[in-house]
Amino acid sequence: MGKVAVVTDSNSGITQAQGTELGIFVLPMPFMIDEEQFFEDVNLTQEQFYEKLEAGANVVTSQPSPEAVMNLWKEILTDYDEIVHIPMSSGLSGSCQSAMMLSEEFDGRVQVVNNQRISVTQKQSCMDALMLAGQGRNAAEIREILENDKFNSSIYIMLDTLFYLKKGGRITPAAAAIGTLLKLKPVLQIQGEKLDAFAKARTTGQGKALMVNAIRTDMENRFGGAAPDNIYLQVAYTKNRENALHFCEELKKEFPGFDVEPDPLSLSVS
């Protein structure tokens, strides 16, 4: 039985400390902020990131360099037989495709998972990979299992501002201006590889209700019923942990028996 390592990037929301504790290797995502390079959770904390963002800094996301990826893999393969590499969704970044090309240099010892995950769903894939490795599955088997499961997830996202969608070119300035004028709080969804519009809310309460109803519909129609023994229900947040904790309590009332705890959203997605 080969020894299999699990590798991901910080878009999973797994911190360097958590990765060490769990036995997961985490590639920090790079940022250029006002022409200076930073790496998530290495020399850039959540607090520092939001301070810079609110101060109007020019923030540009990137993907790990080929050298950083390959050097990490080579180091890991001195102690492990194989690697399962779980990057963010190929529909949201080129880092998955880059990793797949780089893996060709490793004679099958590195298996790159393209299962369209990000944030808490990507983190869950890493936990699943660890479990499967512990059961004696090899890297290729783990990749196949995770990819076969790729459409069994949903993400719903409520935004407080349209500013960054406009800045990133995902909506037009005119649409952003109208949305801001009407004080709309868009709810977005990720099912599969793409980020899409889902609904528009006028208030935070309405946005939460939309998400709760969407979650319940998915549970009942796609995931075999709203039962905690076959579904993970998770929350990610930007900056305001207190609000996230309140929402977790609301979700626990809506979905009794589920253990819901908030994780900070990874900075690239934020």
Side-chain angles (χ1 to χ4, degrees), residues 90-109:
S90 61
L92 301 173
S93 167
S95 58
C96 181
Q97 206 64 35
S98 297
M100 292 177 81
M101 288 190 291
L102 294 173
S103 70
E104 294 173 4
E105 303 287 324
F106 289 80
D107 298 322
R109 295 182 71 193

Side-chain angles (χ1 to χ4, degrees), residues 47-117:
E47 294 76 18
Q48 290 168 336
F49 175 80
Y50 289 115
E51 284 173 8
K52 292 176 184 295
L53 207 60
E54 289 175 341
N58 182 37
V59 180
V60 179
T61 60
S62 185
Q63 56 178 285
S65 69
E67 291 79 14
V69 176
M70 294 181 78
N71 286 342
L72 177 61
W73 288 350
K74 288 174 183 176
E75 182 181 345
I76 292 169
L77 289 172
T78 61
D79 294 317
Y80 289 80
D81 299 303
E82 296 181 301
I83 289 171
V84 175
H85 184 85
I86 306 172
M88 71 183 290
S89 170
S90 61
L92 301 173
S93 167
S95 58
C96 181
Q97 206 64 35
S98 297
M100 292 177 81
M101 288 190 291
L102 294 173
S103 70
E104 294 173 4
E105 303 287 324
F106 289 80
D107 298 322
R109 295 182 71 193
V110 177
Q111 298 288 321
V112 178
V113 178
N114 184 13
N115 67 337
Q116 318 296 357
R117 300 297 172 91

Side-chain angles (χ1 to χ4, degrees), residues 228-239:
D229 61 347
N230 71 321
I231 294 173
Y232 295 100
L233 180 57
Q234 299 164 327
V235 170
Y237 66 93
T238 55
K239 191 179 180 186

